[in-house]
Amino acid sequence: MASYNFRSQVHLMVRTILIIITLLTPITTNNTSSQPWNILSTNNFAGKLTTASSSVESAATDFGHVTKILPSAVLNPSSVQDITDLIKLSFDSQSFFTLAARGHGHSHRGQAAAKDGVVVNMRSMVKRDRGIKVSRTGLYADVDGGFLWIEVLKKTLELGLTPVSWTDYLYLTVGGTLSNGGISGQTFRYGPQIGNVLEMDVITGKGDFTTCSKDMNSDLFFAVLGGLGQFGIITRARIKLESAPKRANWLRFLYIDFSEFTRDQERLISETDGLDFLEGSVMLDHGPPDNWRSTYYPPSDHLRIVSMVKRHRVIYCLEVVKYYDETSQHIVNEEMEELSESLNYVRGFKYEKDVTYYGFLKPGSDRRAKPEIERSMGCSTSMA
């Protein structure tokens, strides 16, 4: 597959950033009342709407732990109709209230909060026996918005297929990352997750249930993708698939010169039919050295790496991956060896692993949980 057009990637990332800057509040209308409970309690939400303190407190915070925004209630819908009814009730009522869809709670600054309103728990609609439908002939998966990407990965791999664009952490909901952008080390080649969606079902701010794509209701389609939930709630997404690779040749290179690091990274990004994954990161000399360590690096090299970080105060890591199967293993090994020789990393600080495709992507692999590391080149984790 040809590399994803770099200019288009930058355009999509800038668009996403602008939306994040300007739209950091949940769906709302002209709210004249901060307490929707009296309205909601008289309608058909029995057993689904709760004001229990434990539920309200849980919905008031998120992964960022920066804000605490208390809703009046939490809706645990059992169907799309429940969400539609709730939004229509708010829109048609003279006492409007705010609404926000919440996936797995990985927002950073309360983007999935609804002050004195209602938080919709999208995970409550997940049914293990359905909700992810894979088409082998069409090469796509129809996925309910509340499912996690790790669940999508497992289901599609059963049929030898996979989405092409991920986030670094897969315990995020499909609807959540598509409402933000969804970027990782595959973005430079395949585009962000929002660039790999064929169709969606969306509930608008008026409570209308609408199917949209680039050819049908396209204004809504492109507004919702990366729109932080401001233009509708994603209840289903049709995700592009391709044949799943078997294994991943996974290398890391350490640099002390920032110019050489970025020059190598930019060159690799520009090459066509090259790598499948590319990320850059920074290791800083603060906090306990164990904070950045992962089992990727051999224990025998930990002291060498720590020493280099302390000596230079900051070092840079270039992480690259090439996927392969039984028929392409020899060629990929040769290509990665040639690539290594062409890079300007600190000699003696090249590290290599060979793992299964699932082993590379899964949460808990050696790419995850590095609190000292700042991602570079558009490779951050999305919120959901």
Side-chain angles (χ1 to χ4, degrees):
M1 181 182 294
S3 294
Y4 187 86
N5 184 275
F6 187 62
R7 184 174 295 176
S8 297
Q9 174 198 340
V10 172
H11 175 75
L12 281 169
M13 290 174 62
V14 169
R15 173 179 175 272
T16 302
I17 291 169
L18 288 174
I19 292 173
I20 290 173
I21 291 172
T22 58
L23 299 172
L24 291 178
T25 56
I27 292 177
T28 183
T29 53
N30 297 323
N31 193 0
T32 58
S33 171
S34 62
Q35 297 294 334
W37 181 245
N38 291 335
I39 304 170
L40 295 169
S41 62
T42 62
N43 286 271
N44 190 25
F45 295 103
K48 301 173 184 177
L49 195 71
T50 178
T51 57
S53 59
S54 58
S55 297
V56 169
E57 285 284 334
S58 178
T61 57
D62 56 25
F63 183 77
H65 295 290
V66 175
T67 61
K68 183 175 182 179
I69 303 171
L70 290 167
S72 288
V74 175
L75 179 70
N76 295 301
S78 60
S79 67
V80 170
Q81 190 62 50
D82 290 336
I83 305 174
T84 300
D85 290 344
L86 180 69
I87 295 177
K88 285 183 176 179
L89 181 64
S90 174
F91 185 79
D92 294 338
S93 172
Q94 302 222 344
S95 299
F96 305 115
F97 50 88
T98 57
L99 302 169
R102 178 186 173 99
H104 220 211
H106 278 79
S107 299
H108 287 182
R109 293 186 62 88
Q111 289 92 332
K115 180 176 174 57
D116 298 325
V118 179
V119 170
V120 180
N121 174 20
M122 300 299 290
R123 287 290 290 167
S124 71
M125 291 197 300
V126 169
K127 298 176 175 60
R128 302 297 174 187
D129 57 339
R130 62 181 186 272
I132 303 177
K133 300 175 183 177
V134 180
S135 171
R136 280 176 164 172
T137 55
L139 289 179
Y140 64 79
D142 282 323
V143 184
D144 289 354
F147 272 86
L148 305 179
W149 283 103
I150 184 65
E151 295 165 336
V152 177
L153 175 62
K154 290 178 178 178
K155 181 66 176 180
T156 56
L157 284 181
E158 290 176 2
L159 301 175
L161 299 172
T162 179
V164 297
S165 188
W166 300 95
T167 57
D168 274 351
Y169 183 66
L170 301 188
Y171 279 90
L172 306 172
T173 61
V174 170
T177 66
L178 296 184
S179 295
N180 285 270
I183 53 179
S184 185
Q186 299 92 354
T187 302
F188 81 101
R189 182 170 183 187
Y190 300 100
Q193 288 183 318
I194 60 174
N196 289 276
V197 179
L198 301 173
E199 183 181 281
M200 291 185 297
D201 289 337
V202 174
I203 306 174
T204 70
K206 293 183 178 181
D208 297 329
F209 179 84
T210 306
T211 299
C212 56
S213 68
K214 66 177 184 178
D215 300 315
M216 175 174 55
N217 299 312
S218 59
D219 286 350
L220 179 64
F221 181 74
F222 291 112
V224 169
L225 290 172
L228 290 179
Q230 298 301 294
F231 304 98
I233 295 175
I234 300 169
T235 60
R236 176 189 64 92
R238 178 166 290 181
I239 309 298
K240 276 197 258 185
L241 303 178
E242 67 174 23
S243 296
K246 302 294 185 183
R247 301 191 66 81
N249 192 312
W250 181 10
L251 280 69
R252 286 183 183 174
F253 306 91
L254 301 186
Y255 291 72
I256 59 175
D257 187 291
F258 180 73
S259 295
E260 291 180 345
F261 165 69
T262 55
R263 190 180 305 116
D264 282 349
Q265 191 172 25
E266 290 171 2
R267 175 176 66 82
L268 294 176
I269 287 173
S270 67
E271 292 179 352
T272 60
D273 297 324
L275 298 166
D276 295 296
F277 180 97
L278 172 64
E279 278 192 357
S281 56
V282 177
M283 294 181 182
L284 303 175
D285 179 24
H286 65 78
D290 284 344
N291 281 359
W292 60 260
R293 289 180 187 170
S294 72
T295 55
Y296 184 96
Y297 298 105
S300 59
D301 267 27
H302 281 185
L303 287 179
R304 292 179 64 226
I305 298 173
V306 169
S307 176
M308 185 161 69
V309 173
K310 288 187 174 296
R311 186 164 63 253
H312 297 279
R313 300 186 64 83
V314 56
I315 64 173
Y316 313 96
C317 175
L318 185 61
E319 184 174 9
V320 301
V321 173
K322 182 80 172 177
Y323 302 144
Y324 70 92
D325 56 25
E326 297 84 356
T327 62
S328 59
Q329 180 175 8
H330 179 68
I331 295 174
V332 167
N333 287 341
E334 288 184 349
E335 290 176 348
M336 295 298 266
E337 188 59 37
E338 291 178 6
L339 179 147
S340 300
E341 293 175 0
S342 73
L343 299 178
N344 295 303
Y345 65 96
V346 179
R347 290 306 189 256
F349 288 90
K350 165 190 168 183
Y351 300 94
E352 183 173 5
K353 276 194 171 186
D354 192 277
V355 296
T356 64
Y357 177 68
Y358 177 78
F360 171 68
L361 290 175
K362 70 176 181 179
S365 74
D366 300 318
R367 291 199 298 116
R368 307 324 195 270
K370 295 177 282 188
E372 301 301 314
I373 290 178
E374 299 291 339
R375 302 268 179 203
S376 72
M377 289 297 180
C379 301
S380 63
T381 301
S382 294
M383 305 168 291

